């Protein structure tokens, strides 16, 4: 690619905010002053060449990234977190710059070898070409050199640009998925995100051998990949593709296919004041029709937090209980639903359109009696379990319309005492 074309992209404020452009120039100047070849790599280069707005910068240097980081903070400020073993540093940018994200990874070029399939790699120092060769796909294996007069030179030793233009996701070597099966999930994300295709030779590598290695991955690593999928705009298509490629059985034998009837709800904005995340919503919908035992077992495999397991369990239990709750009084609904996470109730509402669930979320859960424990004490009642019972009965009377104002509540209370 001619240097001028790349420079035009690097100076396009629609692709790269001016503040980020300044940051890159500052880094480039420091690298040149230290005679240290310095590169922008990975997703940044891919998205820039695609003409997509880029946010995350990844900086790689042929030299000591820690020394480089120290020079940057003494010149520009901020602080450094060091990972000596990996020769990397995280630069926490000066607060006054107000940049998002407010950190920047500084990495020493490295070569990775895998002692065992699916294990974390062993890292040794190397050249930028080695660094690009250790990566997942050709489209992620390009670099732009930025130090001094080299500013704007594209390094593309593996044909990343041609694959970007043909819309192809292609691994760099046949052992790539066996070395790191999280790349299978990444391949799907890129394929669907950019409407690309897996190169036929790469598709063939998603086979029993590489799927088998998924079984060796920790729950946390698999969940991280699934989380990333749920955070994507086209998550439904991605999870469908993952099912087509038969990934789920390797994660857990009981992990079902995602029910296509629920796809639309992945995109749904949650209303009311319910805190929600796309990932939690994703798992709730996925496991909605699984049994209690299956949810507990899948939750253990994927190292769910106890809150997430509880929420997924609550969804499936509530959906199964709806036929028994149907036509109950509002107070019965309210007392049954009150113990469950609000988001679980909302998800079951979306899927079933059971109006009582929406009534609970929007109105019933806020209904309280006026009478308090102090009022009961003032009336000479001894505090004890009876207190709670009376207050619950009063609340039920409000919920079920047996009491409509304060006077009626007092009459109701008098009758109870
Ligand atoms: N990478 C890799 N193998 C992995 C994970 C990452 O080779 N299993 C490399 C790729 O070169 C990738 C870079 O590390 O481009 C950065 O990874 P990450 O930040 O996860 O991805 P991005 O490329 O930034 O893509 P995304 O837009 O999905 O975040």
């Amino acid at each position: 690619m001619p240097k001028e074309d790349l420079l035009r992209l690097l100076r396009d404020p629609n692709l790269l905010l001016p503040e980020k452009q300044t940051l890159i120039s500052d880094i480039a100047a420091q690298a040149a002053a230290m005679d240290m070849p310095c590169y922008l790599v990975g997703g940044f280069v891919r998205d820039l060449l695609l003409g997509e707005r880029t946010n995350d910068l990844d900086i790689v240097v042929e030299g000591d990234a820690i020394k480089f980081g120290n020079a940057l903070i003494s010149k520009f400020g901020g602080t450094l977190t060091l990972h000596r073993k990996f020769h990397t540093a995280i630069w926490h940018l000066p607060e006054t710059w107000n940049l998002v994200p407010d950190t920047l990874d500084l990495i020493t070029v490295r070569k990775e070898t895998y002692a065992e399939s699916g294990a974390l790699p062993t890292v040794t120092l190397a050249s930028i070409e080695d660094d690009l060769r250790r990566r997942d796909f050709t489209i992620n294996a390009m670099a732009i050199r930025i130090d001094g007069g080299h500013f704007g030179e594209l390094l593309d030793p593996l044909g990343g640009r041609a694959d970007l233009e043909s819309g192809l996701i292609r691994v760099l070597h046949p052992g790539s998925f066996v070395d790191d099966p999280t790349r299978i999930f990444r391949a799907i994300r890129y394929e669907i995100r950019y409407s690309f295709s897996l190169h036929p030779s790469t598709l063939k590598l998603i086979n029993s051998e590489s799927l088998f290695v998924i079984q060796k991955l920790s729950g946390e690593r698999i969940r991280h990949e699934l989380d990333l999928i749920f955070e994507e705009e086209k998550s439904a298509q991605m999870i469908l593709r993952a099912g087509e490629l038969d990934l789920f059985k390797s994660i857990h034998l009981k992990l079902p296919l995602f029910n296509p009837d629920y796809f639309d709800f992945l995109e749904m904005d949650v209303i009311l004041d319910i805190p929600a995340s796309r990932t939690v919503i994703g798992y709730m919908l996925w496991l909605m029709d699984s049994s209690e035992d299956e949810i507990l077992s899948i939750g253990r495999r994927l190292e769910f937090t106890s809150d997430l397991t509880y929420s997924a369990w609550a969804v499936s239990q509530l959906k199964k209980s709806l036929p028994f709750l149907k036509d109950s009084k509002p107070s019965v609904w309210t007392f049954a639903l009150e113990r469950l996470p609000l988001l679980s109730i909302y998800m079951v509402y979306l899927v079933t359109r059971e109006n009582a669930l929406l009534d609970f979320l929007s109105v019933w859960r806020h209904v309280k009696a006026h009478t308090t424990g102090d009022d009961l004490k003032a009336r000479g009642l001894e505090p004890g379990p009876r207190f709670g019972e009376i207050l619950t009965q009063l609340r039920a009377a409000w919920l079920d319309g047996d009491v409509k104002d304060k006077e009626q509540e007092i009459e109701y209370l008098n009758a109870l005492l």
Side-chain angles (χ1 to χ4, degrees):
M1 180 178 214
K3 204 166 161 181
E4 309 76 66
D5 290 354
L6 199 52
L7 289 176
R8 204 169 310 118
L9 293 175
L10 283 165
R11 289 182 185 136
D12 184 342
N14 295 315
L15 300 180
L16 192 57
L17 291 174
E19 305 88 275
K20 292 262 162 108
Q21 295 185 29
T22 309
L23 174 63
I24 292 174
S25 310
D26 289 343
I27 292 171
Q30 184 58 41
M34 292 171 78
D35 236 352
M36 200 181 272
C38 179
Y39 306 85
L40 290 160
V41 288
F44 174 87
V45 182
R46 176 196 70 222
D47 286 342
L48 191 76
L49 295 184
L50 279 173
E52 303 249 340
R53 202 189 176 100
T54 54
N55 206 14
D56 274 353
L57 301 182
D58 279 317
I59 300 282
V60 163
V61 289
E62 279 180 318
D64 184 349
I66 293 181
K67 204 164 131 198
F68 185 50
N70 276 320
L72 286 169
I73 59 166
S74 48
K75 184 145 183 209
F76 299 105
T79 57
L80 220 55
T81 306
L82 306 182
H83 296 286
R84 288 190 192 280
K85 190 169 155 220
F86 293 103
H87 303 277
T88 61
I90 300 171
W91 181 15
H92 302 267
L93 303 171
E95 269 175 38
T96 48
W97 290 2
N98 276 326
L99 286 177
V100 182
D102 57 3
T103 58
L104 185 73
D105 288 348
L106 303 169
I107 293 163
T108 298
V109 280
R110 61 196 202 216
K111 195 152 94 182
E112 292 176 354
T113 42
Y114 293 81
E116 205 187 308
S117 300
L120 288 172
T122 316
V123 177
T124 48
L125 302 193
S127 72
I128 183 71
E129 290 233 356
D130 290 323
D131 189 90
L132 297 178
R133 277 177 205 289
R134 76 178 169 83
R135 290 173 184 265
D136 49 5
F137 307 109
T138 56
I139 60 165
N140 283 342
M142 291 180 276
I144 300 174
R145 188 161 174 180
I146 57 170
D147 52 296
H150 295 284
F151 192 91
E153 283 174 13
L154 180 70
L155 266 86
D156 178 19
L158 300 154
R161 224 184 123 225
D163 280 347
L164 265 189
E165 274 164 19
S166 327
L168 286 173
I169 309 297
R170 186 199 312 245
V171 289
L172 306 186
H173 60 90
S176 184
F177 289 146
V178 174
D179 283 347
D180 178 358
T182 63
R183 289 175 172 168
I184 300 175
F185 296 87
R186 296 172 63 83
I188 294 171
R189 268 199 301 129
Y190 296 126
E191 179 190 35
I192 305 287
R193 186 199 290 168
Y194 300 119
S195 302
F196 280 11
S197 317
L198 297 178
H199 187 278
S201 60
T202 294
L203 183 60
K204 262 199 219 139
L205 296 172
I206 304 182
N207 54 28
S208 52
E209 192 193 357
S210 56
L211 293 180
F212 178 77
V213 188
I214 291 183
Q215 295 180 30
K216 294 202 208 168
L217 287 178
S218 70
E220 213 233 320
R221 286 185 76 194
I222 301 176
R223 205 197 57 250
H224 177 66
E225 295 303 323
L226 296 171
D227 287 354
L228 291 177
I229 286 181
F230 285 127
E231 276 157 21
E232 294 267 347
E233 224 171 275
K234 299 192 203 164
S235 54
Q237 274 171 271
M238 293 176 189
I239 213 81
L240 178 71
R241 181 71 165 138
E244 274 168 15
L245 293 172
D246 216 11
L247 263 58
F248 301 152
K249 274 205 268 331
S250 312
I251 299 175
H252 188 290
L253 282 175
K254 294 288 179 186
L255 190 60
L257 285 178
F258 198 104
N259 185 341
D261 293 345
Y262 302 162
F263 278 158
D264 285 349
F265 308 124
L266 280 173
E267 311 292 324
M268 213 52 114
D269 277 335
V270 176
I271 51 151
L272 307 166
D273 52 346
I274 304 173
S277 82
R278 286 181 66 101
T279 53
V280 174
I281 289 175
Y283 295 114
M284 284 179 165
L285 290 167
W286 198 349
L287 303 180
M288 185 168 286
D289 299 306
S290 295
S291 72
E292 179 168 19
D293 284 350
E294 287 164 354
I295 292 173
L296 295 179
S297 174
I298 292 166
R300 274 195 300 274
R301 169 67 181 115
L302 289 176
E303 296 176 38
F304 280 2
T305 60
S306 51
D307 277 358
L308 180 55
T309 304
Y310 182 58
S311 296
W313 171 86
V315 167
S316 81
Q317 290 304 107
L318 177 56
K319 184 153 178 266
K320 289 185 193 84
S321 320
L322 286 187
F324 306 103
L325 283 164
K326 203 149 188 62
D327 304 324
S328 297
K329 289 181 176 183
S331 60
V332 175
W333 278 104
T334 302
F335 297 141
L337 295 175
E338 220 148 36
R339 288 165 294 123
L340 303 179
L342 296 176
L343 188 59
S344 305
I345 300 170
Y346 186 66
M347 294 323 289
V348 179
Y349 165 69
L350 283 183
V351 167
T352 62
R353 293 286 150 178
E354 169 54 64
N355 276 326
L357 298 175
L358 193 57
D359 287 337
F360 168 79
L361 291 171
S362 50
V363 182
W364 297 343
R365 71 185 161 113
H366 302 296
V367 170
K368 299 265 153 20
H370 289 272
T371 307
T372 63
D374 283 343
D375 296 332
L376 296 182
K377 249 196 264 171
R379 282 176 157 244
L381 241 76
E382 286 296 318
R386 179 91 183 104
F387 254 50
E389 278 163 30
I390 293 173
L391 295 175
T392 304
Q393 278 173 296
L394 287 177
R395 189 162 176 236
W398 274 97
L399 283 163
D400 298 338
D402 298 334
V403 156
K404 293 196 178 63
D405 57 35
K406 230 172 162 172
E407 278 91 64
Q408 286 183 8
E409 181 178 328
I410 294 190
E411 274 173 40
Y412 200 91
L413 178 60
N414 290 339
L416 283 178
L417 292 180

